[in-house]
């Protein structure tokens, strides 16, 4: 049974979707850039326990109330903590993909007591070099302009990103569903989200990874070399981290190898693929 919650804060209006009640510690899923709560539909269909999916601010139905008001990853962490209070949840199993993974890392640093388990799918810990961080933000500013100037053209180019190269061949239904989600956004809201959650405005978290006391699973597609490297670096810093490198898979594991992804979430993973 599903339930929709609308959660208002000073800066955002958020749409949250609960399934199977909250009698046990739920999985909370955070989608990537241009995704929505629908990005996790095939995942939550396979899970028996309670789940929570969210339209992150600027995506789907969730909106920034004032596009001119500053908003940051830190703001989101505070609001998500308030949401957990609002729905009377002490701890969660938090799973974030790509942009959602960055938010999950930030939240685990800000509110560690809220975590039971942490799952990071193709997630970045940020950029240490100030010049590279500033360049990334400039690149995202350029991208944000393209979003508002010609949204359909932007989505066409975004879908051809090398990160997603083999998704269409490996899971055509999920690929088409993802395309529909991507085209559904409000361009000005999405543009605001890109700048708010940019890696160029994200704290560098690698040096804080050792502080995480919860069990952490990092998932990377074997073909996603940049993120595999980051996963290796994070797992080397904390004995609580298991690093799963998924064969024949790129950036989005829950699209390209759903069965494997579910096995990891339900503790049926193949141990020989862990480091």
């Amino acid at each position: 049974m599903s339930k929709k919650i609308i959660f208002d804060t000073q800066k955002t209006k958020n749409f949250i979707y609960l399934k199977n009640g909250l009698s046990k510690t739920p999985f909370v899923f955070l989608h990537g850039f241009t995704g929505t709560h629908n990005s996790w539909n095939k995942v939550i269909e396979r899970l028996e326990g309670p789940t929570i999916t969210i339209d992150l601010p600027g995506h789907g139905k969730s909106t920034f109330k004032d596009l001119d008001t500053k908003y940051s990853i830190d703001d989101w962490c505070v609001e998500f903590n308030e949401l957990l209070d609002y729905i009377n949840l002490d701890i969660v199993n938090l799973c974030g993909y790509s942009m959602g993974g960055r938010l999950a890392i930030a939240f685990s640093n800000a509110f560690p007591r809220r975590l039971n388990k942490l799952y990071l799918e193709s997630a970045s810990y940020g950029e240490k070099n100030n010049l590279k961080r500033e360049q990334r933000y400039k690149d995202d500013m350029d991208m944000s302009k393209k979003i508002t100037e010609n949204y359909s053209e932007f989505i066409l180019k975004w879908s051809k990103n090398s990160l997603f190269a083999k998704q269409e061949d490996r899971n055509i239904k999920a690929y088409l569903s993802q395309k529909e989600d991507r085209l559904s956004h409000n361009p000005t809201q999405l543009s605001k989200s890109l700048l708010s959650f940019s890696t160029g405005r994200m704290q560098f978290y690698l040096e804080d990874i050792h502080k995480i006391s919860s069990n952490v699973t990092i998932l990377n597609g074997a073909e996603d070399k940049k993120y595999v490297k980051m996963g290796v670096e994070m797992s080397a810093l904390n004995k609580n981290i298991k690093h799963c490198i998924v064969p024949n898979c790129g950036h989005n594991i829950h699209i390209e190898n759903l069965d494997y992804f579910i096995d990891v979430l339900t503790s049926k993973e193949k141990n020989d693929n862990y480091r």
Side-chain angles (χ1 to χ4, degrees), residues 135 137-147 195:
Q135 184 58 53
Y137 190 68
K138 289 178 181 178
D139 291 343
D140 284 344
M141 287 183 67
D142 290 341
M143 192 184 300
S144 74
K145 292 177 182 178
K146 293 176 182 177
I147 290 173
L195 296 181

Side-chain angles (χ1 to χ4, degrees), residues 38-143:
N38 291 323
S39 303
W40 301 104
N41 283 350
K42 293 302 179 182
V43 174
I44 65 175
E45 284 177 8
R46 300 275 294 273
L47 299 176
E48 296 180 357
T51 62
I52 298 172
T53 52
I54 299 171
D55 283 349
L56 293 170
H59 293 74
K61 293 184 177 181
S62 294
T63 56
F64 298 99
K65 291 182 175 179
D66 183 352
L67 294 172
D68 295 323
T69 299
K70 283 190 66 176
Y71 190 88
S72 68
I73 290 176
D74 291 340
D75 288 320
W76 180 86
C77 289
V78 170
E79 291 183 349
F80 183 58
N81 189 59
E82 292 172 351
L83 168 65
L84 296 183
D85 285 338
Y86 179 73
I87 58 179
N88 296 314
L89 270 179
D90 290 327
I91 59 173
V92 296
N93 298 314
L94 186 60
C95 178
Y97 161 67
S98 200
M99 181 188 80
R102 299 202 299 272
L103 297 181
I105 290 174
F107 185 78
S108 69
N109 185 71
F111 299 98
R113 68 178 183 86
R114 290 291 199 181
L115 290 183
N116 180 44
K117 295 180 181 180
L118 178 64
Y119 296 85
L120 302 173
E121 179 189 359
S122 305
S124 169
Y125 48 66
E127 174 58 61
K128 185 175 185 178
N129 183 284
N130 288 333
L131 291 177
K132 289 182 179 179
R133 191 159 57 237
E134 287 301 315
Q135 184 58 53
R136 175 58 186 266
Y137 190 68
K138 289 178 181 178
D139 291 343
D140 284 344
M141 287 183 67
D142 290 341
M143 192 184 300

Side-chain angles (χ1 to χ4, degrees), residues 33 164 177 192 256 272:
F33 179 61
F164 318 127
S177 177
K192 170 77 171 179
E256 296 185 44
D272 60 348

